[in-house]
Amino acid sequence: MASVPQQIISPAVTVGADELSALHSTVVGFDRDQLIWSSGYLAGLAGSQAQAVASPSNAPAIVSAPSDDSWTIFYATETGNSRDIAENLAAESKAAGIAVEVQDLRDYRPKALTKINKALFVVATHGIGEPPEGTESFFDFWFSKRAPRLESLEYSILALGDSSYVDFCEIGRSFDERLKNLGANPVVVRSDCDLDFAEPVARWSKEVVQFAGKQNPASAAGGAARPLQLKAVRNAPLLISKESPYLAEIVTRQRITGARSSKNVQHVELDIEDSGLSFLPGDSLGVLPSNPPQLIEAILGKLNFAGDEPVSVAGESLTLREALLRRKEITQLSKPILDVFAEAHPRLQNVLRDRASFSELLETKQLIDLIFEYPKSWDPQEFVDALRNLTPRSYSIASSIDAIADEVHLTVAVVNYEAYARHHWGAASNFLLGETERAPVHVVANEQFRLPENTSAPIIMVGAGTGVAPYRAFLQYRQAHAHSGDNWLVFGDRTGHDDFLYQMEWLRYRKDGLLTKLDLAFSRDQEEKVYVQSRLLDNAKEVYDWLERGAFFYVCGDAKHMAADVHQALFEVVRDQGAMSPDSANDYLAKLRSAGRYQKDVY
Amino acid sequence: MNEQTELTPVEGIKQRSDFLRGTIVESLADNATGTLADDDTQLSKFHGFYQQDDRDQRAERARRKLEPDHSFMIRVRVPGGIATAAQWLAMDSIASTYANNTLRLTTRQAFQFHGVIKRELKTTISGINESLLDTIAACGDVNRNVMCTPLTEKSAIHQAAYLAANTISEHLTPNTSAYHEIWLDKKRVADSRDDEPIYGPTYLPRKFKIGIAIPPSNDVDIFSQDLSFIAIEKDGDLLGFNVAVGGGMGMTHGEPETYPRVADVIGFCETKYVAEVAEKVVKIQRDHGDRTNRKHARLKYTIDDRGLDWFQSTLQEQLSFELIPAKPYQFLFRGDEFGWQEDQHGDWHLTLFVPEGRVQDLGRHRMLSAFRQIARVHTGTFRLTSNQNVIISGIASTQKQLINRLLEYYGVTALQAVSPLRQHALACVALPTCGLAMAEAERYLPELANNIDELLIRNGIENEPLSLRITGCPNGCARPYLAEIALVGKAPGRYSLFLGGDGVGKRLNRMTHENVDEGEILSILSQWFEKFAKERIENESFGDFVHRHELRLTEVQ
């Protein structure tokens, strides 16, 4: 436990050294969970007495009496997970008699946060340490110098992320720091969740509900809140979810890159007849893979395991081979497993300490490389425990159910390569293209990537590589529903001859008039490299004209390079064609975003 | 015949094209497809190239949701088939940079590139023009490459005939500036109007072919040409030319109103009148040819529909001189004379067999490399024969040994040791690139010739100079209907068999069997060869023998 502060001063109340010392002695010996629980308890006392009481022992702030008993649950979501969690939490809170409101951060005026006293944040980190699409202005404001103090705010943060990225849970983490700096009071310690978030989410929600319940006289009398169970509120009518996926039959696997392409991209069709699955253009399909058997054998062989060793995963007894096949992540690396390897290898510790080398490691190496490069003697259970749980991979759906009933189509880049004298596999692509006849799938809704409701609104679709997938769904849908809006596709890949994904379909759409304009950037078809953003600049006047007449602008594909380059190009188009200052151009784009007319699905 | 009174769609495309411009520039700029816009695929032929695709890959590409593997065949006009060593090097460089690493020599003495992709068309065509050859009117409804015996050093007559071929070629070249604007970045002069004094804005109803032969060789197969000239000699000087009209090979399976036809010799003109005769014949075909049916649009049908008398009198009315009766002449052969020949000036000429007309590096036979090395040291020319072979021409006697060594080193000498049948055989390109092909031709000829050679050897007649020609469709690129044995593609692995042409290209063969496979063809030929070996009259050619026995064909089957 941290040392006792000598005195804490806030504008609302002063706690003297004696009081602090007394509080401190009370909680000596408490473990972390007990301390967290206590913080909630004490805060609850404060709520019930409507008077100043001692603050949580390890939180450096004192809470003033809240003027409003209602909690606001904010979410910042890219894939919908944060929203689902927020809505579940709201349902559980209400069941416990706690007044809550759910608020999408995209629709929230940043400064309005100064008007409330109780906030819970469910915040996803997207891509490389970025906030979810549409929430940038909220975070920009609160990280700026203009941000006002938030002394009266009680809050807690649930951060979602992916520990195979270097900036794991970066937005939640840094926002937590920032709120503390602004004087706000973290009433329940932040929880950082990885892809398999069900368990930590349940724990955090329970703590939050307990805390709020104790603060609230109505529910405090009833004792502890009911244990929170995570269930898909939004998908309530459907039985299919991430937790209980549908086993879809794979009916077509067809390579769609030409014989001379350096890339193997496959068009995969799954039969979902009778599943009741429904999806809209823009949605993704979650695919829970089984790991590549050859990779499992390579790992077992290197670690001198037979594979039939009994292990336990979440209380279930399995063989090691089964655990690696269906339950554990064995391709992508993440921070926790790296930390375990690093315990035995100071050299790796150094790699992890340096942000650049850590990031490079995550991008270029897989688990199999670590096993070979950082030898360590493992016991089977220890090995399994160190691995993350296997989680579904998301693919942007490439078909519209209104055009192609009973099927869902995916555009899958096959990850299969030699590096460091070892074979490497992508889990989901090799699963979909392997021997399996069926794949466990569920729909991942993406409200941030939707066709305009106005059927006559023009759209500009910018995509590279497999990023073209959702646009196939867009056009199928717009054709099926006879939308009159103009459609413009800007697609990029390596060569026109072998990498123009779905070429025949786009050409047919162009001939039929559905595709109003088609611009292509094939980077290797000429001396100078040409990318999608070059085509935007080539067509600057038309891009601006389309935007001026209400076009929606979509970007799908690589987050690291393409999305940023496209944004820069769009900025230049608006600045130059609109004869605007840089600030006005940025405002123009911000307004497009807040109007939902600039949407991204990048990964 | 179907009564068609409306003009063919191609006539509309030509009419709208603004003298062959169409939307070719826009088509070239569209990187969404390797094709041209539909109308432009017709116009492109006038500029010298055809849109094609690799038919071997069609089905697989369709499964991959990719358009067919499109590329272009570019034909280079080489009047009389004569190219300098520098031009050969330029063609070689284009073949290896933009095409599929092969140079195809056509049956009309032209170079052909295969596999050029759309975005490299312009560079390729401008590269060809830099070498002072061009592609305009190499295909399309205009006069094509003018053929002529290429070995001009043989005599003064040969030289004069070659000059006549060039004169005709230049006289009939389209006048439009579209070609120069599109491929050579020449600016169109403001307010300028194109004019085609010979062709008019819709050019000809169909292609038009001209050849010049110097007896006793009929190497250019003059009876297959729309218009041809037969050199007439007197005491070592060129007296003038007999004029022949109405030859043509193309036909369509199952449409008896389409047929191959041998040309009629209609008279004699002096050398100075060849361009005038050519222009007037072209203009008659321009005005009277059938523009309502492309399968009935060649000069041969115009003549047959209206009668040869009508044609002769119409032509005479337009000529500034009188066409006098044809002079006697005699054709004795039409194949190439392989090996070294010395001319009257002491220079040497080497005629080399090019398998199926495809100059390429294949295994240890590196003909493309050999000719490249030779072109670097050679001060003479390369000549393309109408039999798809090459003559390295104008070699000083001091260079002979070097050239022999190069040919030996690159494995070309070894290629020359083939049977007489193979040496004289012709094949069109057919699969996989030609869109018209119904069966294999170029790729299948070596195997077919081997099998037929076995039958010939069995009957002891392997040294007969039999003419074997194979095409993938009935349109006649390899002039099959003038061969002693011809296979005309019907479907994969199946051909119609034609027998009984003569050895010099004056008499058409006849279809004896429709739609037969290799086994049947070999069995039919085997019976004929056996009979021929036993019953031939002295010096009788195989074609003449079959012709003589034609009435008894059914018994043979």
Side-chain angles (χ1 to χ4, degrees):
Chain A
M1 190 179 157
S3 61
V4 184
Q6 292 307 299
Q7 190 182 43
I8 291 174
I9 298 171
S10 87
V13 65
T14 302
V15 181
D18 290 350
E19 290 157 307
L20 269 178
S21 174
L23 183 62
H24 185 64
S25 63
T26 307
V27 296
V28 162
F30 278 26
D31 67 15
R32 187 166 170 277
D33 285 348
Q34 287 169 315
L35 281 172
I36 291 165
W37 181 87
S38 307
S39 71
Y41 176 74
L42 294 170
L45 284 180
S48 61
Q49 293 174 2
Q51 281 296 326
V53 296
S55 76
S57 58
N58 62 342
I62 297 298
V63 183
S64 60
S67 56
D68 181 353
D69 283 340
S70 163
W71 286 83
T72 306
I73 308 174
F74 293 98
Y75 66 85
T77 193
E78 184 79 32
T79 64
N81 283 330
S82 300
R83 180 198 47 227
D84 292 349
I85 290 166
E87 285 173 356
N88 278 315
L89 177 59
E92 293 303 323
S93 304
K94 284 172 186 162
I98 302 159
V100 292
E101 250 180 75
V102 177
Q103 175 65 51
D104 187 344
L105 269 185
R106 281 181 305 160
D107 308 328
Y108 194 68
R109 201 165 53 84
K111 235 179 166 173
L113 196 59
T114 57
K115 302 279 190 283
I116 63 170
N117 298 322
K118 300 179 178 189
L120 299 169
F121 295 93
V122 184
V123 178
T125 294
H126 188 61
I128 306 122
E130 281 156 25
E133 182 62 30
T135 63
E136 298 88 343
S137 55
F138 177 87
F139 290 106
D140 285 351
F141 176 83
W142 284 107
F143 282 105
S144 75
K145 287 178 188 164
R146 295 179 290 159
R149 300 284 296 170
L150 288 169
E151 308 286 355
S152 62
L153 183 70
E154 293 183 300
Y155 76 96
S156 178
I157 292 179
L158 180 82
L160 295 177
D162 178 345
S163 65
S164 65
Y165 286 88
V166 109
D167 296 308
F168 175 57
C169 289
E170 172 64 18
I171 298 301
R173 192 195 57 72
S174 57
F175 189 53
D176 192 19
E177 288 298 312
R178 182 61 178 163
L179 289 180
K180 285 180 197 166
N181 291 339
L182 293 172
N185 174 26
V187 293
V188 172
V189 166
R190 186 185 81 244
S191 172
D192 291 345
C193 303
D194 207 346
L195 295 182
D196 44 345
F197 52 74
E199 199 190 323
V201 166
R203 216 182 309 126
W204 177 80
S205 299
K206 186 176 170 186
E207 288 173 22
V208 165
V209 171
Q210 278 180 350
F211 175 83
K214 284 178 184 128
Q215 217 179 24
N216 181 333
S219 76
R226 288 193 342 225
L228 181 122
Q229 287 173 334
L230 191 73
K231 65 180 177 195
V233 171
R234 205 174 141 273
N235 288 334
L238 300 176
L239 297 170
I240 297 154
S241 66
K242 182 174 156 190
E243 289 71 28
S244 92
Y246 174 74
L247 266 183
E249 189 188 350
I250 301 170
V251 289
T252 300
R253 303 167 164 111
Q254 173 62 56
R255 178 176 162 130
I256 54 170
T257 41
R260 300 203 295 262
S261 175
S262 52
K263 296 193 281 191
N264 179 7
V265 176
Q266 298 266 341
H267 174 71
V268 176
E269 300 181 357
L270 300 118
D271 185 346
I272 52 160
E273 194 179 358
D274 305 328
S275 70
L277 273 180
S278 182
F279 51 89
L280 286 170
D283 285 345
S284 293
L285 193 74
V287 176
L288 182 66
S290 300
N291 282 309
Q294 306 98 307
L295 175 61
I296 293 169
E297 296 313 315
I299 291 172
L300 293 174
K302 178 62 186 170
L303 297 180
N304 286 322
F305 290 139
D308 56 0
E309 294 85 348
V311 292
S312 163
V313 176
E316 193 182 338
S317 178
L318 301 165
T319 66
L320 176 58
R321 184 176 279 105
E322 285 167 347
L324 297 184
L325 183 66
R326 298 187 204 288
R327 306 297 288 275
K328 289 294 171 178
E329 174 63 63
I330 59 169
T331 52
Q332 290 180 354
L333 288 172
S334 57
K335 184 71 166 38
I337 180 81
L338 286 171
D339 285 340
V340 180
F341 276 102
E343 281 168 16
H345 293 277
R347 182 161 59 92
L348 183 57
Q349 289 169 22
N350 289 334
V351 171
L352 299 186
R353 256 195 293 276
D354 175 64
R355 194 179 176 286
S357 63
F358 179 26
S359 178
E360 191 195 337
L361 177 72
L362 287 174
E363 278 172 31
T364 57
K365 299 277 172 92
Q366 289 196 344
L367 179 67
I368 185 78
D369 301 313
L370 268 280
I371 288 173
F372 274 84
E373 291 170 19
Y374 298 98
K376 174 175 168 12
S377 101
W378 295 88
D379 135 306
Q381 186 65 49
E382 178 199 12
F383 183 58
V384 164
D385 288 344
L387 297 170
R388 280 205 295 185
N389 287 334
L390 187 60
T391 51
R393 303 325 202 233
S394 276
Y395 288 98
S396 298
I397 293 173
S399 62
S400 165
I401 204 158
D402 297 332
I404 299 171
D406 306 326
E407 287 180 16
V408 53
H409 297 179
L410 304 179
T411 313
V412 178
V414 179
V415 180
N416 213 330
Y417 62 95
E418 294 289 332
Y420 323 111
R422 280 182 289 279
H423 204 83
H424 294 68
W425 288 269
S429 59
N430 286 284
F431 169 67
L432 284 170
L433 297 163
E435 285 173 7
T436 187
E437 289 175 5
R438 290 174 177 277
V441 302
H442 69 286
V443 170
V444 182
N446 185 357
E447 301 301 338
Q448 273 71 249
F449 208 72
R450 285 284 183 252
L451 278 166
E453 281 175 23
N454 175 357
T455 59
S456 60
I459 62 174
I460 303 174
M461 302 166 281
V462 181
T466 56
V468 82
Y471 303 139
R472 187 172 181 264
F474 275 22
L475 284 199
Q476 285 182 3
Y477 185 90
R478 287 202 121 185
Q479 187 172 51
H481 293 275
H483 285 196
S484 61
D486 284 344
N487 302 298
W488 180 357
L489 176 68
V490 184
F491 172 73
D493 211 308
R494 287 180 182 168
T495 72
H497 185 271
D498 292 282
D499 302 297
F500 187 3
L501 307 180
Y502 302 108
Q503 178 185 28
M504 289 303 279
E505 298 184 7
W506 305 121
L507 290 177
R508 196 170 58 242
Y509 285 145
R510 185 173 72 168
K511 200 166 188 181
D512 295 347
L514 179 67
L515 193 56
T516 324
K517 193 163 159 49
L518 175 62
D519 283 284
L520 301 159
F522 296 116
S523 58
R524 299 187 181 178
D525 277 358
Q526 59 281 305
E527 290 282 314
E528 71 284 11
K529 299 279 187 193
V530 173
Y531 300 102
V532 283
Q533 61 270 18
S534 334
R535 294 294 177 232
L536 295 176
L537 295 171
D538 293 345
N539 291 277
K541 185 176 182 314
E542 279 193 276
V543 173
Y544 188 69
D545 287 349
W546 279 52
L547 292 176
E548 282 292 286
R549 61 186 178 94
F552 283 56
F553 189 94
Y554 300 87
V555 187
C556 184
D558 170 57
K560 199 171 182 187
H561 305 291
M562 188 205 63
D565 293 342
V566 166
H567 182 82
Q568 176 62 27
L570 194 58
F571 165 77
E572 288 172 25
V573 164
V574 168
R575 183 194 62 195
D576 299 344
Q577 297 296 315
M580 294 181 198
S581 68
D583 281 350
S584 311
N586 277 324
D587 282 352
Y588 187 98
L589 294 182
K591 277 182 192 135
L592 278 187
R593 275 197 180 177
S594 57
R597 283 177 50 209
Y598 178 11
Q599 305 185 19
K600 291 187 216 169
D601 179 9
V602 295
Y603 37 84
Chain B
M1 175 172 311
N2 296 334
E3 276 308 314
Q4 288 174 293
T5 50
E6 288 197 6
L7 295 181
T8 63
V10 177
E11 292 301 319
I13 294 169
K14 289 187 276 189
Q15 183 74 53
R16 291 191 298 272
S17 75
D18 185 18
F19 293 95
L20 308 179
R21 288 176 181 81
T23 57
I24 291 175
V25 170
E26 292 81 354
S27 280
L28 293 177
D30 178 11
N31 69 344
T33 171
T35 65
L36 306 175
D38 288 348
D39 285 4
D40 294 334
T41 62
Q42 294 298 328
L43 299 174
S44 77
K45 298 174 187 175
F46 293 81
H47 296 257
F49 61 99
Y50 272 69
Q51 181 173 307
Q52 304 187 322
D53 74 281
D54 184 343
R55 294 170 61 183
D56 290 351
Q57 292 198 50
R58 230 182 239 182
E60 181 57 25
R61 298 264 308 174
R63 278 194 288 277
R64 295 183 184 197
K65 304 178 192 293
L66 295 168
E67 70 176 8
D69 185 10
H70 291 292
S71 65
F72 294 84
M73 178 275 277
I74 303 180
R75 199 176 283 155
V76 182
R77 217 161 50 132
V78 192
I82 301 184
T84 64
Q87 285 170 333
W88 183 280
L89 284 174
M91 296 303 111
D92 172 88
S93 157
I94 286 166
S96 41
T97 312
Y98 303 113
N100 64 354
N101 259 315
T102 73
L103 257 181
R104 182 64 155 63
L105 313 180
T106 77
T107 55
R108 293 195 68 77
Q109 302 175 280
F111 290 111
Q112 227 165 251
F113 298 108
H114 292 266
V116 178
I117 57 172
K118 187 170 81 173
R119 67 167 188 274
E120 293 177 345
L121 268 175
K122 189 166 174 176
T123 323
T124 308
I125 292 176
S126 66
I128 292 166
N129 279 270
E130 275 167 31
S131 77
L132 303 181
L133 292 171
D134 64 27
T135 65
I136 186 168
C139 337
D141 298 342
V142 282
N143 172 50
R144 309 276 185 93
N145 199 37
V146 177
M147 295 174 69
C148 181
T149 304
L151 203 47
T152 52
E153 289 79 1
K154 270 192 139 174
S155 72
I157 297 168
H158 285 76
Q159 183 64 34
Y162 172 71
L163 291 175
N166 263 301
T167 305
I168 295 168
S169 179
E170 277 173 32
H171 191 64
L172 296 180
T173 299
N175 204 33
T176 175
S177 55
Y179 184 86
H180 299 87
E181 285 163 32
I182 296 171
W183 309 108
L184 306 175
D185 291 329
K186 299 266 161 58
K187 289 276 174 286
R188 191 179 192 175
V189 180
D191 301 326
S192 73
R193 275 195 60 239
D194 276 305
D195 190 23
E196 290 285 9
I198 295 177
Y199 292 113
T202 53
Y203 298 83
L204 296 181
R206 201 70 170 79
K207 63 186 170 189
F208 196 90
K209 299 180 173 180
I210 298 178
I212 299 180
I214 301 151
S217 173
N218 183 26
D219 54 350
V220 300
D221 253 333
I222 63 121
F223 296 102
S224 71
Q225 317 275 349
D226 291 275
L227 170 64
S228 51
F229 297 93
I230 303 163
I232 303 297
E233 166 202 27
K234 192 178 180 188
D235 305 330
D237 286 327
L238 183 63
L239 200 60
F241 295 92
N242 280 348
V243 177
V245 294
M249 291 286 95
M251 58 167 275
T252 304
H253 287 307
E255 294 187 17
E257 65 274 20
T258 67
Y259 50 82
R261 185 184 189 280
V262 291
D264 293 299
V265 180
I266 60 168
F268 173 87
C269 74
E270 288 177 45
T271 307
K272 64 182 177 186
Y273 293 125
V274 288
E276 181 182 342
V277 170
E279 177 184 327
K280 301 303 179 193
V281 172
V282 161
K283 281 180 167 170
I284 293 172
Q285 168 62 358
R286 175 194 71 191
D287 296 339
H288 299 283
D290 186 353
R291 291 180 187 263
T292 67
N293 178 3
R294 290 184 66 79
K295 286 179 179 170
H296 188 256
R298 292 282 296 274
L299 179 63
K300 62 185 175 181
Y301 301 114
T302 314
I303 290 173
D304 278 355
D305 288 353
R306 296 168 188 259
L308 190 60
D309 289 345
W310 166 84
F311 182 82
Q312 282 182 284
S313 59
T314 308
L315 176 62
Q316 187 59 67
E317 276 169 31
Q318 302 195 10
L319 290 174
S320 65
F321 65 96
E322 193 167 352
L323 211 53
I324 61 169
K327 309 275 184 191
Y329 64 93
Q330 193 179 19
F331 287 131
L332 296 176
F333 59 91
R334 60 177 168 179
D336 292 330
E337 297 168 78
F338 294 100
W340 289 98
Q341 299 177 59
E342 187 179 8
D343 69 23
Q344 54 204 3
H345 311 295
D347 284 336
W348 288 84
H349 309 273
L350 175 60
T351 305
L352 290 162
F353 166 64
V354 179
E356 290 76 60
R358 184 74 68 174
V359 181
Q360 60 184 331
D361 286 357
L362 201 63
R364 56 194 183 83
H365 302 297
R366 294 156 63 200
M367 186 176 266
L368 192 68
S369 298
F371 289 178
R372 183 185 306 138
Q373 296 310 323
I374 290 171
R376 286 183 179 144
V377 296
H378 181 44
T379 51
T381 56
F382 286 79
R383 314 280 170 97
L384 316 185
T385 79
S386 49
N387 291 304
Q388 302 175 302
N389 296 312
V390 160
I391 306 172
I392 303 172
S393 219
I395 304 168
S397 56
T398 51
Q399 291 266 56
K400 274 181 74 179
Q401 198 188 8
L402 172 61
I403 285 176
N404 270 336
R405 277 184 171 179
L406 286 168
L407 293 170
E408 184 77 37
Y409 179 82
Y410 286 102
V412 175
T413 310
L415 275 180
Q416 304 301 304
V418 293
S419 71
L421 179 79
R422 178 85 186 277
Q423 243 181 358
H424 293 102
L426 291 185
C428 71
V429 174
L431 295 171
T433 51
C434 179
L436 301 170
M438 304 171 191
E440 297 283 352
E442 180 188 323
R443 295 197 292 196
Y444 171 50
L445 177 62
E447 182 191 333
L448 175 72
N450 265 346
N451 290 334
I452 295 177
D453 266 325
E454 275 180 33
L455 300 178
L456 293 171
I457 290 166
R458 202 179 302 160
N459 289 286
I461 48 173
E462 67 271 21
N463 289 321
E464 282 294 311
L466 266 178
S467 73
L468 167 69
R469 296 178 177 181
I470 177 169
T471 57
C473 83
N475 289 308
C477 286
R479 304 188 288 273
Y481 311 110
L482 290 169
E484 292 171 275
I485 303 170
L487 274 65
V488 175
K490 279 282 281 189
R494 303 191 77 85
Y495 298 84
S496 287
L497 180 63
F498 290 71
L499 298 175
D502 63 27
V504 294
K506 281 161 81 173
R507 185 183 64 234
L508 293 174
N509 52 27
R510 292 277 194 88
M511 183 172 78
T512 62
H513 299 79
E514 192 170 7
N515 202 19
V516 281
D517 64 17
E518 182 181 57
E520 293 167 285
I521 290 166
L522 293 177
S523 146
I524 293 158
L525 289 178
S526 173
Q527 293 174 52
W528 270 113
F529 291 161
E530 205 174 309
K531 202 174 166 61
F532 172 65
K534 284 180 193 153
E535 301 174 14
R536 67 188 293 193
I537 305 169
E538 202 182 342
N539 287 331
E540 190 178 29
S541 72
F542 177 69
D544 287 347
F545 178 83
V546 173
H547 183 67
R548 190 160 61 84
H549 287 76
E550 204 177 10
L551 293 175
R552 284 184 282 146
L553 269 176
T554 43
E555 293 166 35
V556 178
Q557 280 179 41

